[in-house]
Every structure is written in structure tokens, then in C-alpha cells.
Amino acid sequence: MSRRHPGRGRLTVAALLTALLTLPAALLAQGPAHAADYRYWSFWQQGKGGAWVYATQGPSIARPDDGDVEGFRFAVSANSGSAEKPRGAADFDAICADTPAKDGQKRVALVVDFGTPDDAPGGEQPPKRRTACARVDSDGTTADALAAVAKPLRYNSSALLCAISGYPKQGCGEQVSGKESGGKGDKDGDETASAQGTGDGDDGGPSVGLLAGVAAIVALGAAAVWQARRRRG
């Protein structure tokens, strides 16, 4: 007659419980299956040391001081963490050297980077990067400064900046299928997704692998309980 080994049963259950605890961490580390990309104008402000900082306010709300440097970059990105910064040098004294100060007004140096051909909508070629010194009223916004030197501007019904100096001709923060020239699915500005958004549920939802892993956890849990009861019986 064979003898049971209670210790062996306890070890088996312990091993299964260890798997239950470690498997979820491995599955969660996989992260979202895909992050949506958008084609849009991002807004930047120059911080200390000349570094570009992603603006926390829109250009129609931000009110720069005299001597500030503001930048805009057109590109394809998922969010502020992956957004492309304006390229090239951006020095207030150099940009506004020929624009004297005036009482009751302020000077704002602007950098407008139209991006690369890879980020351009289908059929369009990005203009060359440009800089300009805008002189506006002392309480003027960044949008006022931009309008003074880079018309025509285009906004959608949600006040999202869609075009600077007429570029691009169409589209406004539309979702695209990655960084590819002439991205698909260009729509009119009023019908597009927010450029700062994260996409719909399909992009951020759990992957097939994660769901399968959850099912495996449930199965392992049931097996552990069954075996423990069998050993006690």
C-alpha cells in the first residue's frame, strides 16, 4: 500500500499559488497593444537654458511676456511625451534684433517648424522652418502673436490650431496609421479626434495575450483548490 506524502501536496499547492502571483505581473508588463498617433501642431515654450517645454495652455490662452520665445511644430505623435520639438536655434535677441521695443506693446519671438515630408498629409510639401518677431499689445496671447506674423491661421470648432500660414490645407489633429507620408483618413477639422487624445477603446484596451493570461490564472486557481481538497480527502 502506497503512503501519501502531505508535504508533497502542500508543495504542489504552493507552487501553483506562486504562479498565480507572478503571472499577472508578467502580463501587465506587456502594456497596451497599440497607441494611436495623430497629425497636429504642437505648441512649445522656451524654458531656462533655451530648452523647449511642451505648453500646458493653448496658444489662445497663453500670454507670453516681452522677450519670450514660443515655438510650433507640425508632426505625427501620440501625445506630449512623444511630440517632436521645434528644430534649430531659437534666440530672442537674434530673432527680434530688427524689431525695436515700443511702449504698450511686447515682442515675442516665434519659431514655426512645418515638420518633415514624412509627417505631411498626402500631396503636400512642408514649407521651410521660419522664425519671426511679433509685436502685439501687452496683454496679447500667443495666438495674437502668431496671427501677426504667420497668417492665414485655421482653427476647428474646438479652438484646436489646425494650420499655420495655410499649412496643412486640410485636416486637423486626425488619427493616422503611424508615421507615413500621406497618412490615411484625413478629415475636415470639425470631424477629427483631439490631437491630445489617446484614441478609442480598441487602441488602449487589453490585448488578446492579456485576456488569455487571465483565463490561465482562473484555470490554475481552480486546479489548486481541487488538488488541495483531494489531498485532504
Side-chain angles (χ1 to χ4, degrees):
M1 178 182 296
S2 61
R3 297 179 58 189
R4 293 184 178 179
H5 298 279
R8 185 179 301 172
R10 286 194 296 269
L11 289 174
T12 303
V13 173
L16 288 172
L17 290 175
T18 300
L20 287 173
L21 292 173
T22 57
L23 186 55
L27 292 171
L28 291 174
Q30 295 177 4
H34 175 69
D37 289 324
Y38 297 87
R39 178 185 286 116
Y40 67 103
W41 280 102
S42 57
F43 173 35
W44 301 79
Q45 297 171 320
Q46 194 176 82
K48 294 181 179 180
W52 287 114
V53 179
Y54 197 90
T56 57
Q57 295 178 316
S60 62
I61 299 176
R63 297 182 185 277
D65 295 325
D66 182 78
D68 282 352
V69 181
E70 313 268 89
F72 294 85
R73 171 69 188 269
F74 188 78
V76 173
S77 63
N79 51 48
S80 61
S82 62
E84 300 286 350
K85 301 177 181 180
R87 298 167 294 177
D91 179 72
F92 176 82
D93 292 334
I95 295 174
C96 291
D98 298 327
T99 306
K102 187 175 180 180
D103 290 341
Q105 295 187 324
K106 61 186 176 183
R107 295 170 299 165
V108 181
L110 295 174
V111 177
V112 181
D113 188 340
F114 295 88
T116 68
D118 287 341
D119 292 324
E124 295 198 53
Q125 183 68 22
K128 292 182 179 180
R129 171 189 176 276
R130 68 178 67 166
T131 61
C133 185
R135 188 164 54 190
V136 296
D137 292 339
S138 58
D139 62 346
T141 66
T142 302
D144 294 330
L146 192 62
V149 297
K151 289 182 178 180
L153 305 180
R154 178 166 56 86
Y155 294 87
N156 70 0
S157 60
S158 300
L160 179 67
L161 180 61
C162 304
I164 298 177
S165 296
Y167 181 83
K169 296 178 181 179
Q170 298 180 2
C172 190
E174 66 273 12
Q175 184 176 337
V176 298
S177 56
K179 285 195 173 184
E180 53 187 30
S181 181
K184 300 176 182 179
D186 289 357
K187 299 179 181 179
D188 183 76
D190 292 344
E191 299 175 352
T192 54
S194 168
Q196 307 294 343
T198 56
D200 55 27
D202 292 339
D203 292 322
S207 64
V208 173
L210 181 58
L211 295 176
V214 173
I217 291 174
V218 174
L220 284 171
V225 173
W226 175 83
Q227 189 167 12
R229 289 179 176 177
R230 182 171 175 269
R231 293 295 183 186
R232 288 197 299 268

